[in-house]
Amino acid sequence: MNNRPFCSVIIPAFNEEQNIEECLLSLVNQSYPREFYEIIVVDNGSSDRTPQMASAYADLVLEKPDGNVGAVRNHGIADASGEVIICTDADCVVPPDWIEKGVTLLKDNPHHAFGGGLRSREGAGWVEKYWTLNESGKSTQQRSLMGSSIFMWKKDFAQVGGFNEVITSGEDTDLSERAVANSVAVTVSAELSVAHLGCADTIGDFIRRQIWHSENYILDLKNSLKDRVFWLTLIYLGCLTTALVTFFEANILATSITLAFAQVPSGILSIKRITRSAWQVNSIGEMSKIMALDNFYLIGRSIGLLKGALKTTSRLRSRLDR
């Protein structure tokens, strides 16, 4: 590759001593020449050995003990020397030609941002396997950028205005939407997919992750109203609430009908995931696991929506009491 641009890989990290070494090893062993990229880790106030472990591999380790993940990413980008900004997470492992492929795509497509999806790890449990639906690494489910794999020219990143520092999650989707609004095209490519070591292994972890992701629904209501998943979550939450009321009224028939109707939004999500990933469903058991995960997904999102609403209400009351 001639005229290689210098790249800056930005990695936010918080208590990632179990994963960050594997992440950084995958980054220092790239086909892209090491002298043409830097690795910047931004520690978000870890209480474990994350900063010390990062310093063994990274070119620069910065401290940003407070602030949401968008602010942490921006803090690293502010110190970046590269023409190309690359983002991943401290619990991700990237392929050996990841940087080279991402840079090639950027050079061939001006005013473009590229991202990758998530692929299953080797030996992944059923939760990860049937959530990612990407054992081969040849497909992607999402259309928006994910913080685990983003490639963007620094000048385009500045034009878009950087990551949103207010929201606690979803800063990658927000960046993706603002990129398109600023005439920077966004493409998610399977060849930029990464393995996520932090994928949920249990139903409990999976639900907790969805709660965290959806607490911003009310805070960012303007964008949430444009999000189809938000509306599916509202429908699902309405079904669960109605089912709970009819159950306590001992109306078993109404409860059963309402719970059956709740499978409509979860079924829509399952069909969308299967279609986008081109996953071949080989049995009723596989389909049941996929649909079960989408139910747990909407349960977590519903709880997060309620938590966000309660937090917003509490803030408003505090302001009124002043």
Side-chain angles (χ1 to χ4, degrees), residues 120-132 135 200-201 293:
S120 303
R121 296 169 292 175
E122 291 185 14
W126 79 271
V127 173
E128 181 178 348
K129 177 181 177 181
Y130 290 109
W131 181 245
T132 59
E135 286 185 300
D201 292 319
L293 279 176

Side-chain angles (χ1 to χ4, degrees), residues 36-282:
F36 285 98
Y37 68 97
E38 63 181 351
I39 300 171
I40 300 175
V41 174
V42 187
D43 185 69
N44 193 205
S46 297
S47 57
D48 62 7
R49 296 180 59 250
T50 294
Q52 292 84 350
M53 297 180 74
S55 63
Y57 302 96
D59 299 288
L60 184 62
V61 178
L62 302 173
E63 295 289 334
K64 178 67 175 170
D66 53 0
N68 294 319
V69 65
V72 178
R73 294 190 196 277
N74 285 342
H75 189 69
I77 292 168
D79 273 63
S81 303
E83 296 175 70
V84 173
I85 296 298
I86 304 173
C87 294
T88 190
D89 292 321
D91 56 358
C92 290
V93 174
V94 306
D97 56 356
W98 186 64
I99 294 178
E100 188 167 358
K101 285 184 174 179
V103 171
T104 300
L105 287 170
L106 282 179
K107 289 182 69 179
D108 291 344
N109 300 274
H111 301 296
H112 225 99
F114 286 90
L118 296 178
R119 61 173 301 168
S120 303
R121 296 169 292 175
E122 291 185 14
W126 79 271
V127 173
E128 181 178 348
K129 177 181 177 181
Y130 290 109
W131 181 245
T132 59
L133 296 180
N134 190 21
E135 286 185 300
S136 66
K138 296 180 180 179
S139 66
T140 58
Q141 289 186 30
Q142 82 286 356
R143 304 287 172 84
S144 298
L145 297 173
M146 296 175 63
S148 52
S149 180
I150 296 176
F151 287 76
M152 199 170 187
W153 291 104
K154 192 174 185 179
K155 61 180 184 293
D156 289 336
F157 182 84
Q159 176 187 333
V160 170
F163 287 102
N164 186 320
E165 300 190 2
V166 176
I167 55 179
T168 57
S169 64
E171 79 293 342
D172 41 13
T173 302
D174 177 79
L175 179 75
S176 190
E177 292 171 351
R178 285 187 289 109
V180 173
N182 283 272
S183 302
V184 178
V186 171
T187 298
V188 178
S189 172
E191 60 186 337
L192 297 180
S193 292
V194 301
H196 186 207
L197 302 178
C199 275
D201 292 319
T202 66
I203 293 300
D205 287 341
F206 181 76
I207 291 175
R208 281 189 288 273
R209 182 159 301 193
Q210 301 315 318
I211 292 172
W212 177 67
H213 277 298
S214 56
E215 287 183 21
N216 284 313
Y217 273 150
I218 300 301
L219 182 64
D220 194 22
L221 188 58
K222 182 179 178 181
N223 286 321
S224 296
L225 292 172
K226 303 174 187 176
D227 185 358
R228 294 176 184 176
V229 174
F230 173 73
W231 289 104
L232 291 176
T233 302
L234 278 179
I235 294 169
Y236 194 86
L237 178 58
C239 289
L240 292 185
T241 304
T242 303
L244 190 62
V245 171
T246 55
F247 176 78
F248 283 113
E249 291 176 348
N251 191 338
I252 303 303
L253 178 60
T255 302
S256 300
I257 292 172
T258 305
L259 289 176
F261 186 74
Q263 296 312 299
V264 173
S266 64
I268 290 172
L269 289 176
S270 295
I271 292 169
K272 182 183 77 171
R273 295 199 302 115
I274 292 168
T275 302
R276 286 188 178 178
S277 64
W279 182 269
Q280 297 295 317
V281 180
N282 297 313

Side-chain angles (χ1 to χ4, degrees), residues 287-299:
M287 190 66 206
S288 298
K289 289 176 181 177
I290 292 170
M291 288 197 67
L293 279 176
D294 284 305
N295 273 277
F296 289 127
Y297 173 88
L298 288 171
I299 288 170

